[in-house]
Amino acid sequence: MPTGLSLHVGLNQVDPERYDGWDGTLLACENDARDMARLAHAAGFSETVLLTPEGTVEGVTTVLRAAAERLSAGDILLFTYSGHGGQVPDVTGPDDEPDRRDETLVFFDRQFLDDEVHQEFRRFDDGVRIVTLFDCCHSGSSVELPGSEAITGRYLPEPKQIALYERDRVFYDDLQRSVAKAAAATGDGQGPPVILISACQDNQTAADGPVNGAFTEALLEVWEDGVFRGDYRTFHRAIQRRLPPTQSPNLYTTGAPAPAFLGQRPFTV
């Protein structure tokens, strides 16, 4: 019987001392993490939940690395994140990021590069299935959602992104180069198959909400406590239909090609 492990990170705030006074207050991210943990538990996963101050780089990577040690071919990891998204300039070349930006997850203590996420995934055996669900934004171009006065977007505001990057430029530039060098040293291996469903496109804003984020709310409605019986592609399309054109969830894969994985019912252990 395969093993399923899940990690659910929800940050309603970040440490203002690490973000120049900005605390990034959101309403629903901790709820998202708890609700996704309940979904995972019902599907047969052993779940770990990290809420706000626990959602540090060390906290998240410790759980992921323990999972990498435990899981083997045929097993599955589910990683969900609800919080702010951000971007930093990409210094490792245009072939890495066509828009010359590295997307980030805004953890409690610092931004975590998308390259760092992939580095953690490369620690897993090639046959491990990895599903990631990110309810955050990768754009800092707006302050409020169009037509909304009460519900804000899950993004690190662009002026703050620029200021923080300038403050920590040496750290992030060196980090990107270090991760790229480590990836090159692993050779041509593609790594385990990864399915990512994100809350929006890189140039869009993901909406927070009073109970759940818009993406997580739509996902839970589609899943309907396990009534859903389609595959990952139909799951993604059903979620997409419940959201406005201004927030269009993205589905893509990395690592080894896995058409059979995409054809499974979501959250199948």
Side-chain angles (χ1 to χ4, degrees), residues 71-140:
L71 298 179
S72 57
D75 294 335
I76 184 168
L77 172 76
L78 171 61
F79 175 31
T80 74
Y81 169 79
S82 289
H84 287 290
Q87 293 178 319
V88 297
D90 175 38
V91 301
T92 57
D95 292 336
D96 179 24
E97 296 281 0
D99 62 357
R100 301 306 303 269
R101 309 284 287 180
D102 257 353
E103 280 70 48
T104 68
L105 303 179
V106 182
F107 286 170
F108 188 73
D109 53 341
R110 73 163 173 86
Q111 296 183 73
F112 196 68
L113 304 176
D114 58 358
D115 291 342
E116 292 182 272
V117 176
H118 296 305
Q119 182 182 49
E120 293 303 319
F121 290 164
R122 284 193 293 270
R123 297 177 185 274
F124 288 79
D125 289 350
D126 285 352
V128 175
R129 296 164 292 148
I130 298 176
V131 178
T132 58
L133 301 169
F134 290 164
D135 194 343
C136 62
C137 164
H138 298 294
S139 170

Side-chain angles (χ1 to χ4, degrees), residues 30-251:
E30 290 192 355
N31 288 341
D32 290 348
R34 294 188 189 99
D35 288 342
M36 291 306 302
R38 281 192 286 270
L39 182 158
H41 182 81
F45 289 80
S46 296
E47 72 278 7
T48 300
V49 179
L50 300 179
L51 301 178
T52 303
E54 301 168 322
T56 61
V57 171
E58 181 179 3
V60 172
T61 57
T62 295
V63 176
L64 289 176
R65 291 174 190 181
E69 288 290 327
R70 181 175 171 187
L71 298 179
S72 57
D75 294 335
I76 184 168
L77 172 76
L78 171 61
F79 175 31
T80 74
Y81 169 79
S82 289
H84 287 290
Q87 293 178 319
V88 297
D90 175 38
V91 301
T92 57
D95 292 336
D96 179 24
E97 296 281 0
D99 62 357
R100 301 306 303 269
R101 309 284 287 180
D102 257 353
E103 280 70 48
T104 68
L105 303 179
V106 182
F107 286 170
F108 188 73
D109 53 341
R110 73 163 173 86
Q111 296 183 73
F112 196 68
L113 304 176
D114 58 358
D115 291 342
E116 292 182 272
V117 176
H118 296 305
Q119 182 182 49
E120 293 303 319
F121 290 164
R122 284 193 293 270
R123 297 177 185 274
F124 288 79
D125 289 350
D126 285 352
V128 175
R129 296 164 292 148
I130 298 176
V131 178
T132 58
L133 301 169
F134 290 164
D135 194 343
C136 62
C137 164
H138 298 294
S139 170
S141 60
S142 60
V143 176
E144 291 186 345
L145 294 182
S148 171
E149 297 180 355
I151 299 177
T152 58
R154 294 180 169 184
Y155 59 88
L156 179 58
E158 189 169 7
K160 184 62 68 176
Q161 288 186 40
I162 294 171
L164 290 171
Y165 174 71
E166 290 301 324
R167 186 193 72 182
D168 300 327
R169 176 192 292 267
V170 172
F171 171 79
Y172 283 112
D173 288 1
D174 287 349
L175 178 59
Q176 289 181 63
R177 295 186 181 102
S178 174
V179 173
K181 183 178 180 180
T186 63
D188 297 329
Q190 295 176 303
V194 180
I195 295 173
L196 169 64
I197 303 179
S198 60
C200 63
Q201 304 296 314
D202 284 350
N203 62 348
Q204 294 180 327
T205 300
D208 193 34
V211 178
N212 290 111
F215 169 74
T216 299
E217 179 180 21
L219 183 155
L220 293 170
E221 289 174 354
V222 170
W223 183 245
E224 199 177 349
D225 290 330
V227 171
F228 181 83
R229 285 294 182 270
D231 61 12
Y232 281 100
R233 289 189 180 91
T234 56
F235 190 54
H236 165 250
R237 288 195 294 268
I239 296 169
Q240 196 172 48
R241 286 194 293 269
R242 288 179 177 267
L243 292 168
T246 53
Q247 183 176 339
S248 181
N250 194 22
L251 167 67

